[in-house]
Each structure stands twice: as structure tokens, then as C-alpha cells.
Amino acid sequence: MRSRSVRTIEWRNGVVVTIDQTKLPNEEAFVEMRSCEHVAEAISTMKIRGAPLLGVAAAFALALTAYHSKARQKEELTDELESAAKIIRKTRPTAVNLFWALDRILVKVKGFSGELKDLAALVVEEAQKIAEEDVDANRSMGKYGAELFVDGDVVLTHCNAGALATVAYGTALGVIRACWEQGKKVRVIATETRPKLQGARLTAYELKRDGIPVTLITDNMVGYVMHRGMVDKVIVGADRIVQDAVINKIGTFTIAVLAKEHGVPFYVAAPRSTFDLTIKSSEAAIEERESEEVTHIGSQRIAAEGVEVLNPAFDVTPLDYVTAVICENGILYKEDFRKFKPCHSK
Ligand code: MRU
């Protein structure tokens, strides 16, 4: 993260290195993962998070399994890869990128007819390809998305859809970066994003490092800033875009409703691997996380012991609230959805 070219996750000859996002912004600590179990632990504890990064991490979990495998037969390695995929599938249910990356590699494995050693190489190669494609997709989204913004815009964003949520550059923050690269000096309002504070800890950190002006607010200040005319546009990322809605970090829907009420355009930036047009929002799994994330801030308890807690990590924003979705192929308005070919389709 020291410069824009440094990556959030990297494959280094049988070791996957990533920055521990739970320690930011106070400490830049790196984690070395050598097995699928290490990756699963990093995902569950949110050392690794953000939909596109979860996809790449899932792919690298299979790459680690293949690289370190002692299998003597192709069938044995295939079984090991399927078991590893099962472990990763149980980590976090909402971001479809994770499932998409596993399926993409397993389809390749099943269709492979060569030697055992070439099968392992194929898995590693495909995982690296998925990581490279993420960087390209973000750059492309940045280029298309920047067309929607003008010099001086104040843009509100939620959670972290930046370089840290991807391999590099970011989705929503990639669009903001692209604006700056084109000389459009947009300013950002970042919501803190309770309960895990990705906005305060990660988005503010990333933008400050890049010298992009950012003002941090608490989640319940969105109505205040919109009512005062302080926000020109909203841009967020997504964990899954389904037939009728965008599923993203809890609090996104509230922001979308406020944006509609105040006539503020609401944009979503997400790669094709985030689209899951096979299902409706009512069929999508929304992750529920442990109650301590709500009863505590960091390690500090703030709520009475034993209080009942609801902690959904994501919410559903119907497409009626979405002005447009920016993907690597261009800008999609609602009427374009039916014609669109995402990575997952029936
Ligand atoms: O729980 P998280 O931090 O993994 O949630 C992340 C988000 O909701 C992001 O907005 C989304 O994954 C898009 S990231 C480009």
C-alpha cells in the first residue's frame, strides 16, 4: 500500500502475502499464508475483506493447495481441491466473487486432460490470472466511471471499496482515483461504517495516503450532509448484484434512500464477477456476524452485558434507488441489465 503500484495480495512462489486489514491504520502488518486453512482463517477474521479481494484470496487458496499437494494422481489432487473449496465456501456467504473464483478454477480442473504436474501449474496460473484481471477491471471501471463526475464534485462513499478491497486501485475508490488522474479534483466524504469501521480505518487511510481530500463522518450524519447540500454524488461498491438489487455493506440502503430523497445520483462500481443475475435478492444469503462487533468498539465493551443484538453485515438496495452501475465494460443503466452478460448467468 506504500504506493499505488503495491498490491494488497501477492503470490510469492507458494506463499500468499497480504496486508492484515484488522491492524490498519495503526500498523502495517503483513500475513503470510501457506495453506487453504490459513486463507480461510484470514477471510473469517476479516484480515482479508472486500468482495473482489475475497475472490482472489479464494483462488489463491486453491493455488496453495495445488502447489503444496503431495498427490500422486490427478484424481487425488482434484479431490484435495474440492475439499479446499468446501472450506473456503464456508467462510463468508455474501460476496459472490468468492464462489465465482472457486467455480472458475474447478471447472478448469475438471476439463483438464494433461499430466498431474501440469494440473497444479494450471491452478496456480488461473489464480494469478484472476488477480491480474481484477487490476485491469478496476482500471477500466475507473476510466468509465470518471465520465460521470466533474471537477469539484463532493462524493460520498460507504465502507471500503478501495485498493484494500481489491488487488489494487479499487472499484468505487478506483473511480475517484481515475477522476484525480484526469485532473478532476473530487473530494470525498467517507462514512465510518459501523460496526467494523472500514470507512474510518481503511477508506480514510487509503485516500489520505494518495492525497485525495477526505472528510470522515459517522454513519448517522449522512442525512445531515445531504440535507445541507454537501453531497453531489454517491459511489459505493457491491458484494453481489442480483436481478433486482445491489447487496452491499450494511447502511448502503439507508444512504440510497437519502440520496433519492435529495436528488443525489447513486452509483455502484463493481466488476462482472460481482454480478449474480441467477437469483433475486430474497434468495441471497446475508451474512450475520457475531454480536461482539456491535456490543464492542474494538476491544472496548459499550453495551450492557447480555443485550440482544442484530448484526447483518450487508443490506439490499433495490435497483430503483441505483442511478447506474459501473463495470469494466461500461456504464449500465437499469434497462441495460437484461441485455448484460455477467460472469454468472443461467
Ligand atoms: O464486510 P466487508 O468489509 O468485506 O464488506 C465490504 C463491502 O461491503 C464492500 O463495499 C464491497 O465488498 C465492495 S469492495 C470493492
Side-chain angles (χ1 to χ4, degrees):
M1 287 300 301
R2 224 160 258 296
S3 81
R4 283 176 203 177
S5 60
V6 174
R7 297 181 172 215
T8 304
I9 197 162
E10 262 177 357
W11 172 265
R12 293 189 196 152
N13 298 322
V15 183
V16 176
V17 183
T18 190
I19 191 157
D20 181 349
Q21 301 198 28
T22 61
K23 301 235 164 80
L24 288 171
N26 299 324
E27 199 187 325
E28 284 181 4
F30 290 85
V31 186
E32 292 190 348
M33 296 170 290
R34 290 181 165 77
S35 69
C36 150
E37 288 77 9
H38 285 162
V39 178
E41 190 274 341
I43 293 175
S44 302
T45 54
M46 292 178 72
K47 292 183 179 92
I48 293 174
R49 34 72 48 202
L53 184 62
L54 292 176
V56 174
F60 280 148
L62 296 190
L64 287 172
T65 306
Y67 188 91
H68 295 289
S69 172
K70 304 258 184 303
R72 285 160 177 264
Q73 308 221 313
K74 260 195 318 185
E75 295 66 32
E76 208 186 321
L77 178 54
T78 306
D79 288 350
E80 286 175 11
L81 290 166
E82 271 166 5
S83 305
K86 256 193 202 145
I87 293 171
I88 299 295
R89 282 183 210 281
K90 285 193 192 129
T91 53
R92 297 193 73 192
T94 305
V96 73
N97 310 61
L98 181 147
F99 303 92
W100 163 80
L102 295 172
D103 291 341
R104 171 167 156 176
I105 292 180
L106 291 179
V107 164
K108 282 250 161 187
V109 168
K110 278 179 197 140
F112 180 77
S113 55
E115 306 276 310
L116 171 67
K117 65 170 178 23
D118 296 330
L119 178 58
L122 172 120
V123 173
V124 173
E125 206 175 285
E126 193 65 15
Q128 285 177 303
K129 214 164 142 201
I130 288 173
E132 289 313 311
E133 285 174 16
D134 179 64
V135 183
D136 293 345
N138 293 335
R139 285 272 171 195
S140 181
M141 268 184 272
K143 187 184 74 158
Y144 287 117
E147 290 169 18
L148 300 166
F149 295 83
V150 295
D151 190 25
D153 268 349
V154 176
V155 185
L156 186 138
T157 191
H158 186 56
C159 193
N160 173 265
L164 288 165
T166 63
V167 175
Y169 206 62
T171 59
L173 296 193
V175 171
I176 288 163
R177 289 192 163 98
C179 286
W180 275 80
E181 284 164 14
Q182 293 175 12
K184 293 176 189 168
K185 295 184 173 57
V186 299
R187 287 180 296 129
V188 179
I189 294 180
T191 52
E192 66 173 349
T193 321
R194 270 285 283 156
K196 295 292 278 181
L197 303 170
Q198 292 93 328
R201 295 188 304 103
L202 308 176
T203 296
Y205 160 83
E206 260 196 64
L207 293 175
K208 274 218 77 153
R209 281 198 97 133
D210 276 9
I212 297 175
V214 54
T215 303
L216 182 63
I217 60 170
T218 61
D219 297 342
N220 53 0
M221 293 175 191
V222 175
Y224 175 90
V225 292
M226 284 204 188
H227 185 66
R228 292 214 150 193
M230 293 163 74
V231 180
D232 297 304
K233 279 146 200 170
V234 173
I235 189 163
V236 294
D239 283 78
R240 197 182 281 241
I241 299 180
V242 292
Q243 289 165 3
D244 55 337
V246 168
I247 299 172
N248 191 47
K249 180 52 55 192
I250 189 78
T252 302
F253 180 44
T254 317
I255 296 170
V257 173
L258 281 163
K260 195 169 192 181
E261 176 68 21
H262 292 92
V264 172
F266 184 93
Y267 298 118
V268 176
R272 286 169 59 218
S273 52
T274 303
F275 284 70
D276 180 10
L277 302 186
T278 63
I279 59 164
K280 293 200 196 67
S281 53
S282 55
E283 299 163 85
I286 303 289
E287 179 183 13
E288 285 263 353
R289 292 186 61 85
E290 52 272 31
S291 58
E292 285 72 23
E293 290 185 354
V294 178
T295 56
H296 290 63
I297 294 185
S299 56
Q300 179 69 48
R301 170 175 282 283
I302 51 155
E305 199 104 35
V307 69
E308 202 171 301
V309 165
L310 185 66
N311 187 19
F314 302 95
D315 64 20
V316 172
T317 300
L319 288 185
D320 274 352
Y321 292 87
V322 178
T323 311
V325 177
I326 303 147
C327 78
E328 64 270 49
N329 297 115
I331 299 167
L332 295 165
Y333 293 91
K334 255 167 294 191
E335 53 279 15
D336 303 322
F337 262 69
R338 261 170 285 133
K339 294 176 257 158
F340 183 62
K341 283 258 178 301
C343 295
H344 325 251
S345 50
K346 269 187 184 144

